Amino acid sequence: MSSKTQEVRRTSENVVRGVTPRRRTQSSSNPEARLEEDPPHIPPQPEIPPPSTTETSIWTQQAEVVESAYSHIADIQVPHIHHRLEDEQQVHFAYSPDTIASDLLTADLASTRWLDLLAYDAAQADKTFSLAPTRCCSPVLAEQIPDNPVIPDALLQPEASRVIETNGSVVEQHSWQLSHDILLQSNEVSLFRAFVEHAASWLDLCDSQKHFSTYATRLALRNVGLMKAILALASRHTLGIGRDPNTDVSVPIQYYYETLHYVQEALHYATYTCSEELLATSIIISTYEMLDDANSNWQRHLKGVFWIQRSQDVNGQSGGLRQAVWWAWLRQDLWAAFREKRACFSFWRPVKAVSELTQDELANRAIYLLSQAVNFFAHSESASMTTSQKSQAGETILEALEQWRACLGPAFRPLPTTEPWRSEFKPIWIHPPHYAVAVQAYHFATILVTLQLPTAGFQSYLQTQRILSEAVSAICGIAMELKDEGCQILCAQCLFGAGLCTQDVKSRETIVALIEDCESRTGWPMSTLITDLSVEWAKLT
């Protein structure tokens, strides 16, 4: 192997292992920027310019080749597929071209296309951003980087791995994983803890084992890319709620950029493209972009996360962290699909009948049924769907919803609570909290289907109004008692659905106040929900 080739591989390995140059930091005692001690020398790499109208990045060129190769897929007509579980009917709509194409992507190509989407949009938003490694890296690992790092020859090989023994068990450690825990600086420890105690609760919703706060965080201690993604989300959340007034506004985006740089280098390893670390990184980055939706292309990037999951055959019954990632992604995608009036990307269907589910699994099934209602809501506005087809499809989903409701155990029943004075809605307390938000999702799905069902005669109209009124009362009543931070995002989304079929002024004011309560509890910006509801209400005046 030539010395030049060794240097290039050695440089890439340094980035993957977290051996990155240190950046300028702010000292609390000295406002002047200071430069920390010089890091180990890393040979410079050629800069990859940000994409423009005349010059496209290497990643974009690869994506265009794939897009061209699969362009014919958009013309494929896939028939409607109806699938019946043993005691639960489910409607399944035609696949989208994006869904079909994802099935043809390898793990390597899927992750590359996802990275290209993020890198291209980042370059368009910030002309100083380049996907080539930069000298603007956060001080993660700053204290444990040796002055003269020695990289074993085995790590220079593309698929290098080590077999090590830990507490009597033999495990394989890949070259993109660290052999020791990351040592964080004090401010990064605070951010890491903020993720575990706050941001992770959004991702762990309806997950009894809390994989993001208990397992993904352990993976992050040995993986720089996942750690940077966690710090990006935590710092963005902390900045949004004003918890730390000394936080620099550029810190979140800097961690975000560093995550992309890491992923670029780590994707040289086939084992990384199939790893739990990549899956967790992708959904945490997606959550960061959802939080920063006004300044990102979050909804478009969800498609890239879907590609990665499809390439690894990840679904709602994969088990472990992979399953947790899928459900976290579905909650994001169903909301994006609802706002964009499109079907969800996923076409996975549960294998278990609803009667076979545990109570915790029933909570997740409510989310799945909500995604099916979103699909119906999108397809029902299509001119190709006849009134008869719309009625049949809608009734099938409503039947599945009622079968779900019939399987609920005592834990889903409301507990006693005091009634506030002169409230528009009666408070409903259901514990544990994720059962409560599952019931809200059930009613949100009922609203979406009922709004699109054709009515025939006055009696049908009255029945529709009764169903909608009961759903609105349930969603708002539960929201009045639902204080758990991890439930607030989905709760606010269900409140938005309730607001779509609310006409009196006092009820609308109560819904707005409840959405504001969700924002205050979690720090997640929800002003756009209120603004969009006001626009919808204005259409009815």
Side-chain angles (χ1 to χ4, degrees), residues 247-300:
T247 301
D248 189 338
V249 294
S250 65
V251 169
I253 192 64
Q254 185 61 50
Y255 282 125
Y256 175 80
Y257 288 162
E258 291 169 13
T259 303
L260 301 190
H261 285 305
Y262 173 87
V263 172
Q264 178 197 26
E265 297 299 334
L267 286 179
H268 288 96
Y269 302 91
T271 51
Y272 180 73
T273 65
C274 301
S275 67
E276 293 177 318
E277 285 84 351
L278 176 59
L279 282 171
T281 299
S282 66
I283 194 61
I284 291 174
I285 283 298
S286 180
T287 308
Y288 167 90
E289 293 179 327
M290 185 180 179
L291 182 61
D292 199 37
D293 189 23
N295 302 312
S296 72
N297 290 278
W298 160 70
Q299 294 177 338
R300 194 163 77 96

Side-chain angles (χ1 to χ4, degrees), residues 450 460-473:
T450 304
S460 176
Y461 170 79
L462 290 179
Q463 182 182 10
T464 296
Q465 294 304 309
R466 178 185 60 80
I467 293 173
L468 294 177
S469 178
E470 289 178 356
V472 170
S473 297

Side-chain angles (χ1 to χ4, degrees), residues 21 28 31 43 57 71 91 122 140 234 269 290 296 324 359 411 427 444 460 471 479 536:
S28 58
S57 70
S71 60
V91 65
V140 178
Y269 302 91
M290 185 180 179
S296 72
Q359 296 298 289
F444 187 14
S460 176
E536 294 297 324

Side-chain angles (χ1 to χ4, degrees), residues 383-394:
S384 62
M385 200 173 191
T386 66
T387 301
S388 176
Q389 289 173 332
K390 184 184 298 185
S391 296
Q392 182 180 3

Side-chain angles (χ1 to χ4, degrees), residues 35 70 97 189 215 229 312 333 339 356 359 365 439 449 497:
L35 185 64
Y70 297 151
V189 170
Y215 180 65
Q312 296 193 34
D333 185 50
R339 302 304 297 274
E356 299 173 347
Q359 296 298 289
R365 182 61 63 88
V439 175
V449 176

